[in-house]
Amino acid sequence: MQADKTTINDLSIFHREEEQSVFNHLNFTTTIGGKDWFRYFLSNPYSDLKKIEETQQLLKLILQNEDKWPTIISNGTVMMVQKFYDSQIDDIPKDPNTVNSLFYRLTKSADYSLIKFSVNHFIDFVIGLQQIVQYFDGPYNPSLLQLFIDKIKMLTNNAVIKKMAKWDKQEKLTITNNLSFGHYLLYHFKAKAIELVEIFSQLDAYHSMALASSKLNFCFPEIKVTAAPFIYG
């Protein structure tokens, strides 16, 4: 049995007045991208049994490790990552040192402020991603989750990003640190950063499903393929 657009409308999954929709009551996403993906998942429900079961396994795993979910990544964090690449920033020195870094900050103060702010958000972002890898990577993961984990590990597997992920947030970044990280992120990491944002947005949507099932006391039904539809309790 498949849920077509008419069925979705009849169930009021979405509504012109969003607060009246089922979607609104189930939405616990923390990012705009996560909300968009959650809307997409509800608009395109699976009919394949394997995908449904994998999704259930993923949601159960998230709930089992809810206390380890990376709260360090906020909507503001993701928005700053995206804004960084949409901004017109004057060329950042390739090999920043004390002299050219100070000169850049003095002569391009607005750009430097944006770089500094963005780098700090990037550090939060990669720390949060590493927390996902640390707590959710496992040999018995559903393939849906492991695909995300493996992609995060691959996309963050370089010396600069690893250094950012291990940065002690109590240690203040120097001007040279900010420009060095900013140069790498702006000129060498854009495609990977955008892909990582999409990955986290999807995980945020699944996290929302998991929270909804917990907060609203939903169960995970056992689904079987049969000749005719039936429901048993």
Side-chain angles (χ1 to χ4, degrees), residues 130 152-159 161-162 189 192:
Q130 290 304 308
I152 292 173
K153 289 194 289 188
M154 181 189 71
L155 293 170
T156 58
N157 186 28
N158 65 72
I161 299 303
K162 288 181 178 180
F189 200 67
K192 292 181 179 180

Side-chain angles (χ1 to χ4, degrees), residues 97-108 175:
N97 53 50
T98 303
V99 175
N100 61 16
S101 295
L102 183 58
F103 181 78
Y104 190 93
R105 191 186 72 169
L106 292 174
T107 60
K108 307 178 192 303
I175 303 172

Side-chain angles (χ1 to χ4, degrees), residues 2-223:
Q2 296 183 351
D4 56 19
K5 291 183 178 180
T6 301
T7 303
I8 291 173
N9 288 334
D10 289 344
L11 293 173
S12 294
I13 301 298
F14 305 105
H15 195 280
R16 283 178 296 180
E17 301 294 333
E18 187 168 288
E19 64 274 6
Q20 299 180 29
S21 67
V22 172
F23 169 79
N24 184 62
H25 292 288
L26 301 179
N27 179 31
F28 293 95
T29 58
T30 59
T31 65
I32 294 174
K35 183 178 180 180
D36 291 341
W37 272 105
F38 188 39
R39 183 183 297 276
Y40 174 82
F41 289 146
L42 290 185
S43 301
N44 299 272
Y46 292 136
S47 57
D48 181 83
L49 179 58
K50 182 179 179 181
K51 290 182 178 180
I52 294 173
E53 290 177 338
E54 282 195 345
T55 301
Q56 289 182 335
Q57 293 168 13
L58 169 57
L59 302 187
K60 290 177 183 178
L61 186 60
I62 290 175
L63 287 175
Q64 291 168 7
N65 297 277
E66 169 58 22
D67 60 322
K68 299 180 179 68
W69 190 257
T71 56
I72 194 172
I73 301 179
S74 66
N75 187 54
T77 301
V78 175
M79 289 181 66
M80 279 307 305
V81 170
Q82 295 170 316
K83 181 180 178 181
F84 183 64
Y85 292 111
D86 292 334
S87 303
Q88 299 298 316
I89 299 174
D90 277 0
D91 291 344
I92 304 172
K94 181 179 180 181
D95 297 303
N97 53 50
T98 303
V99 175
N100 61 16
S101 295
L102 183 58
F103 181 78
Y104 190 93
R105 191 186 72 169
L106 292 174
T107 60
K108 307 178 192 303
S109 59
D111 287 345
Y112 175 76
S113 294
L114 177 59
I115 293 167
K116 177 183 177 181
F117 196 56
S118 299
V119 165
N120 275 275
H121 277 289
F122 261 102
I123 289 176
D124 288 343
F125 186 54
V126 295
I127 287 175
L129 292 174
Q130 290 304 308
Q131 289 174 351
I132 291 175
V133 172
Q134 178 181 355
Y135 295 117
F136 291 88
D137 189 14
Y140 305 109
N141 276 345
S143 59
L144 177 63
L145 173 60
Q146 196 58 44
L147 180 64
F148 288 129
I149 298 292
D150 290 342
K151 288 288 285 184
I152 292 173
K153 289 194 289 188
M154 181 189 71
L155 293 170
T156 58
N157 186 28
N158 65 72
V160 177
I161 299 303
K162 288 181 178 180
K163 184 177 180 181
M164 294 177 71
K166 294 179 180 179
W167 195 269
D168 183 354
K169 291 290 289 182
Q170 302 302 315
E171 182 180 353
K172 186 177 180 180
L173 292 162
T174 66
I175 303 172
T176 304
N177 289 147
N178 283 317
L179 293 181
S180 180
F181 286 145
H183 184 278
Y184 179 80
L185 294 170
L186 188 59
Y187 303 122
H188 303 286
F189 200 67
K190 180 178 180 179
K192 292 181 179 180
I194 292 172
E195 188 170 356
L196 286 168
V197 166
E198 282 301 296
I199 289 172
F200 183 78
S201 296
Q202 292 180 66
L203 288 172
D204 185 26
Y206 286 118
H207 182 242
S208 177
M209 293 183 202
L211 287 182
S213 67
S214 174
K215 292 179 181 294
L216 301 175
N217 296 315
F218 291 163
C219 66
F220 292 96
E222 181 181 354
I223 302 174

